[in-house]
């Protein structure tokens, strides 16, 4: 305020000018609808002019009278609130604006007094101290008001709608591939993908109408050089609020050591929570927090981003460290889907993170999350490889009873049927290792004629998994001593694979060619089964002398007996075998029936003379009926009925 | 067997050869040289840290720049260590005795160190808060003339500063810290001196019962100097690196506010004095341990040099503001003194402003390095496990 020093007039004439100017300023000051800035200028001008006037009036002696008067007036306005227990902003807008006006006045007086500080006037010094004390009192009060305001309105700012984690991709596979031998795998319940359900929500962390009040406090505190106090108070409350929101999301406060030791089931839950928390904290709260900071601190430059970072940092570090712990953990196959969720979530958020922390101070946060994203990408790849290894190395000591669908097939097929949902991510991650796998999977789909979906990296990886599964199943089939059962086992499992591919999102990635080829494979096993089981049985009924019209009685009897024994043997064995798919079971029975019943009927029809109840143990109808008992998975025997017939 | 012996002892080498015929022959000379160089570097680096003069404020023991140097040295030692362990010689060594036992123990220690890194990173947030409060004190008292208003402003920030340091002092008990509600009403606070502090809760990043001291104690489990022929093999750098890691984590925890540090000074390093490289570390351990013991009784937020200066100057300035308020005014001489102290306080603030973020980033770097080495060692173990049938 040097200009007012130099502007102190020397002549009486000037005095009139000053008085006139003062008058005009006062008159202008009463005008309503002035902008804040203009009003401030007028108040400043008013103060300067009165100082000049009082200086001239006093002629050195009883100077500062008017300043002191004004100080006293404003002191009353400020001190009166000190004994009051009600918050100013709770009392009403009038009280608040009066108070702010008073603080402005104090600041103006201080500025003016400082401007005149050359005189070393004792009175002036005293007034300056009084004004500074008053300012401190007011600033302290404003800080309290700010905190009170922020805390009071914090509770009401819960977002009205936050989708719950239960609507997320649900947890389907928590068991591990290692533990599932001879245990039925859970069928995958189909899940509703809802990756877009949580877009960016910006919520009012503080109700809209409170923002101008907070801003008015910020303005006056910054103007009085109390910006640091404002920031600390603001950061303190907002930081705590954010941490409370974080706590509500129930993130366990776990050390890396704990996480590395954690059981898979609990870990899976924690991973889900993290994915969820990331979406909520970054997508909702930090976005909203950033907007709040912009609204309140937007005009104060770098303070804005500094405060935002301080508010966010500890919460962010918590999320970051969990991610790091997961990325460094052993990548077991069962983690794959959870890892994919984590990766996708972070990949979606990375742009937001870059935008939120675009300033220099936040580069640290940006960098860390980009690093984490890379780490998670590596983890996904490692888990996928581990999955492949687990599929091909899953070993069994004993044959799977009944030759039905092996749990490994169920596990693998259900598990990979989740992958199409992550198609674009997996394609991105597999891009660099694509050519290796594509050459490994010697399927025509990977050739140049293949369509886009069957030749994408994920498709090739999926088929490499299923071909590992196939070779493992072949290994497992060798555990059966009965060759026919080997075929039943392979037929069942290949059929299951084809069905799973056909009935799921997997279909476009495997393609019709794959389906055709694998249909042919299981049908081959079906035929092989029939050959191995029934050819020798049917052979027993074959006419040894095609020339003659009919067999001798004893030869007929012999053939009948042989057939019965062989049939009963098959019956005894194969009723305990299992074809879980009703359609497949039906088909196999029909074709068996066609072959066996037909041969039996022809055999009996060729020898009508010998057909009597005594030597024929089973009628054609019996055989037809008994064949229906096969592959039901419940062992039966015909020994009882045979004994009955003999007696 | 002391490590110094093997460098010269012919008999020592013979005994190594007898014990580890397959593992070491052609490369053995090279390996011995590497090991020797490694312990030489370690001892040089820590000797430099030990000789940091206390009177030069910039490089003082446990100052920000000293800690940064410490972390720098940690990273150097770590890189050399990894080189010796993995790039040299026969990789299958790491799966043979005694390394088959020592490496998993080392990895276990690494994981514990990661949690310490995180705790310390979190603690730096508190230090950042102290800095901001101290800066308010400085800006209040650097104004001229200092009047009642300035004094009150400083006092308010000082009260917050000292109590914040004390909250951390009580071992960061977050439960205690969050108990205090923001929603204090003005009822009952009628005193003119009521202090709405710039209170900030200390957020926990781990469970409440997590203890930095216990964590470091646990890191010393199984940490014994290699004996006999082991002392000249790869067991010795694993041991050296473990001691360095434990020491670095211990020093960080002593310097920076951290959750639960009771018994920190009671942690012993099983590092025999006769090991050349260990002498400086032992010296530093004793020196810092003494400091900690002194402070532990009355409680301290940490031994970070800048923080201690802040605490000291804070208390002096607190006295000044008290007497100001008592007398209503102050002599010019007192005012000048206060201004000088405030200017002094500006110094650690400035160094925190410059150094805290880089320090925090360096701790992250240490974190990432430990993770990386752990991953590589695990992969190497995995690789060895695959390529050779297990020795039964």
């Amino acid at each position: 305020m040097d200009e007012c020093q130099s502007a102190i007039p020397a002549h009486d004439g000037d005095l009139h000018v000053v008085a006139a100017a003062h008058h005009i300023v006062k008159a202008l000051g009463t005008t309503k609808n002035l902008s804040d800035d203009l009003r401030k200028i007028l108040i400043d001008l008013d103060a300067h002019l009165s100082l000049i006037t009082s200086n001239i009036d006093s002629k050195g002696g009883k100077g500062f009278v008017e300043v002191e008067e004004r100080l006293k007036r404003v002191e009353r306005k400020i001190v009166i609130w000190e004994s009051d227990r009600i918050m100013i902003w709770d009392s009403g807008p009038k009280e608040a604006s009066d108070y702010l006006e008073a603080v402005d006045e104090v600041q103006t007086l201080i500025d003016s007094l400082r401007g005149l500080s050359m005189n070393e006037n004792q009175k002036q010094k005293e007034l300056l101290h009084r004004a500074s004390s008053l300012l401190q009192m007011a600033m302290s009060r404003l800080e309290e008001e700010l905190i009170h305001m922020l805390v009071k309105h914090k509770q009401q700012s819960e977002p009205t709608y936050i989708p719950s984690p239960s609507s997320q991709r649900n947890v389907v596979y928590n068991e591990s591939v290692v533990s599932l031998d001879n245990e039925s795998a859970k069928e995958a319940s189909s899940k509703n993908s809802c990756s877009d359900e949580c877009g960016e929500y910006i919520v009012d962390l503080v109700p809209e109408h409170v923002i101008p009040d907070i801003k008015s406090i910020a303005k006056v505190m910054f103007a009085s050089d109390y910006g640091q106090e404002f920031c600390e108070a603001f950061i303190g409350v907002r930081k705590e609020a954010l941490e409370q929101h974080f706590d509500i999301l129930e993130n366990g406060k776990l050390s890396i050591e704990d996480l590395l030791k954690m059981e898979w089931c609990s870990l899976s839950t924690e991973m889900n929570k993290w994915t969820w928390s990331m979406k909520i904290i970054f997508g909702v709260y930090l976005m909203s927090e950033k907007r709040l900071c912009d609204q309140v601190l937007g005009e104060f430059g770098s303070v804005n981003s500094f405060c935002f970072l301080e508010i966010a940092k500890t919460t962010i570090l918590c999320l970051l460290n969990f991610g790091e712990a997961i990325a460094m953990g052993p990548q077991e196959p069962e983690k794959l889907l959870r890892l994919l969720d984590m990766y996708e979530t972070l990949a979606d958020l990375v742009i937001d993170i870059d935008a939120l922390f675009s300033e220099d101070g936040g580069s640290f946060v940006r960098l860390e999350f980009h690093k984490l994203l890379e780490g998670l990408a590596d983890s996904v790849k490692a888990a996928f490889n581990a999955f492949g290894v687990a599929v091909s190395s899953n070993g069994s000591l004993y044959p799977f009873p009944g030759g039905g669908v092996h749990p490994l097939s169920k596990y693998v097929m259900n598990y990979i049927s989740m992958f199409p949902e992550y198609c674009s991510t997996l394609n991105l991650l597999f891009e660099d290792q694509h050519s290796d796998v594509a050459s490994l999977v010697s399927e025509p789909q990977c050739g140049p004629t293949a369509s886009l979906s069957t030749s994408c990296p994920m498709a090739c990886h999926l088929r490499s998994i299923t071909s590992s599964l196939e070779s493992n199943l072949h290994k497992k089939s060798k555990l059966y001593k009965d060759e026919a059962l080997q075929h039943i086992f392979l037929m069942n499992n290949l059929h299951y694979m084809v069905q799973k591919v056909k009935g799921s999102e997997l279909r476009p990635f495997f393609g019709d060619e794959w389906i055709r080829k694998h249909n042919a494979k299981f049908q081959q096993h079906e035929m092989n089964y029939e050959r191995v089981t029934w050819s020798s049985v049917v052979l027993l009924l074959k006419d040894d002398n095609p020339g003659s019209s009919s067999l001798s009685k004893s030869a007929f009897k012999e053939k009948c007996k042989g057939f019965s024994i062989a049939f009963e043997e098959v019956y005894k064995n194969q009723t305990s075998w299992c074809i879980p798919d009703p359609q497949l079971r039906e088909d196999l029975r029909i074709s068996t029936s066609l072959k066996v019943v037909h041969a039996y009927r022809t055999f009996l029809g060729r020898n009508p003379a010998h057909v009597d109840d005594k030597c024929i143990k089973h009628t054609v109808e019996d055989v037809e009926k008994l064949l229906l008992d096969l592959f039901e998975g419940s062992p039966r025997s015909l020994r009882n009925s045979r004994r009955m017939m003999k007696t | 067997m002391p490590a110094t012996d093997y460098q010269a002892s012919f008999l020592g080498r013979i005994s190594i050869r007898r014990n580890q015929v397959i593992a070491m022959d052609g490369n053995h000379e090279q390996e011995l040289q590497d090991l020797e160089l490694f312990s030489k570097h370690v001892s040089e680096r820590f000797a430099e840290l030990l000789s940091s003069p206390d009177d030069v404020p910039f490089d003082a023991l446990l100052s920000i720049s000293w800690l940064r140097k410490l972390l720098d040295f940690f990273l150097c030692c770590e890189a050399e260590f990894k080189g010796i362990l993995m790039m040299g010689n026969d990789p299958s060594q790491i799966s043979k005795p005694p390394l088959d036992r020592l490496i998993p123990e080392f990895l276990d220690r690494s994981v514990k160190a990661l949690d310490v890194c995180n705790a310390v990173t979190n603690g730096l947030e508190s230090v950042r808060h102290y800095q901001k409060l101290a800066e308010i004190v400085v800006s209040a008292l650097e104004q001229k003339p200092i009047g009642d208003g300035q004094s009150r402003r400083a006092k308010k920030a000082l009260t917050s500063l000292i109590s914040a340091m004390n909250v951390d002092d009580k071992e960061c008990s977050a439960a205690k810290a969050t108990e205090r509600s923001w929603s204090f009403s003005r009822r009952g606070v009628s005193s003119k001196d009521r202090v709405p502090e710039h209170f900030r809760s200390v957020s926990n990043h781990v469970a409440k019962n997590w203890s930095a001291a216990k964590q470091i104690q646990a890191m010393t489990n199984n940490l014994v100097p290699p004996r006999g022929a082991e002392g000249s093999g790869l067991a010795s750098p694993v041991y050296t690196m473990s001691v360095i890691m434990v020491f670095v984590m211990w020093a960080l925890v002593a310097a920076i506010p951290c959750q639960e540090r009771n018994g920190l000074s009671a942690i012993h390093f099983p590092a025999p004095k006769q090991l050349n490289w260990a002498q400086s570390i032992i010296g530093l351990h004793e020196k810092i341990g003494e400091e900690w013991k002194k402070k532990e009784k009355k409680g301290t937020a940490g031994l970070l040099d800048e923080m201690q200066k802040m605490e000291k100057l804070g208390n002096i300035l607190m006295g000044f503001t008290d007497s100001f308020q008592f007398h209503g005014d102050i002599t010019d001489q007192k005012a000048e003194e206060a201004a000088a102290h405030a200017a002094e306080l500006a110094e650690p603030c400035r160094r925190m402003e410059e150094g805290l973020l880089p320090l925090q980033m360096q701790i992250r770097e240490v974190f990432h390095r430990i993770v990386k080495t752990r991953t590589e060692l695990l992969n190497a173990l995995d690789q060895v496990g695959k390529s050779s049938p297990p020795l039964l």
Side-chain angles (χ1 to χ4, degrees), chain A residues 81-87 114 125 128-129 132-133 136-137 140-141 143-145 147-148 151 154 224-229 231-233 235-237 239-240 243 253-258 260-261 306 310 313-314 317-318 320-321 324 328-330 361 363-364 367-368 371, chain B residues 108 111-112 114-115 118 121-122 125 128-129 132-133 135-136 139 143-150 152-153 156 178 180-184 186-190 192 194 196-207 210 215 332 357 360-361 364 367-368 371 374-375 378:
Chain A
W81 284 103
E82 290 302 292
S83 54
D84 208 318
R85 291 175 177 181
I86 307 163
M87 301 307 280
R114 285 240 174 84
K125 200 173 160 190
L128 184 59
H129 279 327
S132 310
S133 267
Q136 166 61 23
M137 189 184 280
S140 202
R141 177 62 193 241
E143 195 185 321
E144 258 182 86
E145 294 281 337
I147 291 170
H148 174 78
V151 171
K154 181 178 72 174
S224 308
D225 228 0
Y226 276 69
Q228 291 153 293
E229 274 94 339
C231 289
E232 286 307 295
I235 291 168
V237 184
K239 189 177 156 172
E240 198 176 278
E243 278 161 15
K253 301 206 156 169
L254 299 158
S255 64
I256 293 179
E257 205 181 358
D258 294 339
L260 289 176
K261 284 181 192 154
F306 166 78
E310 290 285 296
K313 215 167 180 181
T314 32
L317 281 173
C318 259
L320 189 66
N321 286 331
E324 292 289 351
M328 67 185 275
S363 63
F364 164 62
L367 221 74
E368 287 290 328
K371 242 184 229 170
Chain B
D108 198 44
V111 171
K112 290 189 164 70
L114 294 179
D115 281 323
N118 284 340
T121 308
N122 215 45
E125 290 301 303
R128 188 92 179 146
H129 182 49
K132 290 292 149 190
L133 293 172
E135 277 170 4
I136 295 176
S139 34
Q143 282 177 31
K144 274 178 194 163
I146 299 176
D148 178 60
Q150 285 77 24
R152 278 180 195 283
R153 186 182 181 190
K156 185 160 174 255
T178 44
R180 289 195 33 203
S181 165
W182 279 107
S183 53
F184 51 83
R186 289 173 57 79
R187 275 163 224 288
V189 232
S190 54
K192 188 173 154 208
R194 71 176 186 284
E197 282 134 280
H198 313 272
F199 169 70
R200 204 184 276 183
S201 70
V202 182
S203 35
N204 272 26
H205 73 297
V206 284
W210 190 86
Q215 187 83 355
D332 284 351
L357 192 63
Q360 202 167 24
M361 289 176 83
R364 281 312 278 186
F367 178 96
H368 287 300
V371 170
R374 179 180 173 273
T375 309
L378 283 175

Side-chain angles (χ1 to χ4, degrees), chain A residues 270-309:
Chain A
E270 292 298 324
M271 286 165 89
N272 259 338
K273 277 193 213 156
W274 183 87
T275 306
W276 191 243
S277 302
M278 283 293 283
K279 285 180 185 164
I280 299 294
I281 292 293
F282 279 98
V284 181
Y285 287 122
L286 287 181
M287 283 298 200
S288 310
E289 198 72 59
K290 180 73 183 160
R291 190 183 62 171
L292 180 63
C293 285
D294 286 345
Q295 283 171 332
V296 174
L297 298 163
E299 52 199 88
F300 303 109
S302 64
V303 168
N304 182 6
S305 58
F306 166 78
C307 286
F308 176 67
L309 189 62

Side-chain angles (χ1 to χ4, degrees), chain B residues 54-111:
Chain B
D54 283 336
D55 47 340
V56 180
F58 187 69
D59 257 353
L61 188 72
L62 294 179
S63 62
I64 292 174
S65 61
W66 187 90
L67 285 176
R68 293 192 58 194
K69 209 180 198 177
L70 174 73
L71 295 178
D72 232 18
F73 288 167
F74 174 84
L75 290 169
C76 294
C77 294
E78 213 272 348
E80 263 183 81
F81 164 71
K82 201 167 86 183
I84 290 173
L85 203 59
M86 297 177 69
M87 275 152 231
N89 311 329
D90 178 11
S92 68
Q93 270 194 66
I94 57 170
S95 65
K96 288 178 191 154
L99 292 187
D100 62 339
R101 175 176 55 84
L102 294 175
I103 297 277
E105 282 171 11
F106 177 78
L107 293 179
D108 198 44
R109 235 166 257 142
S110 300
V111 171

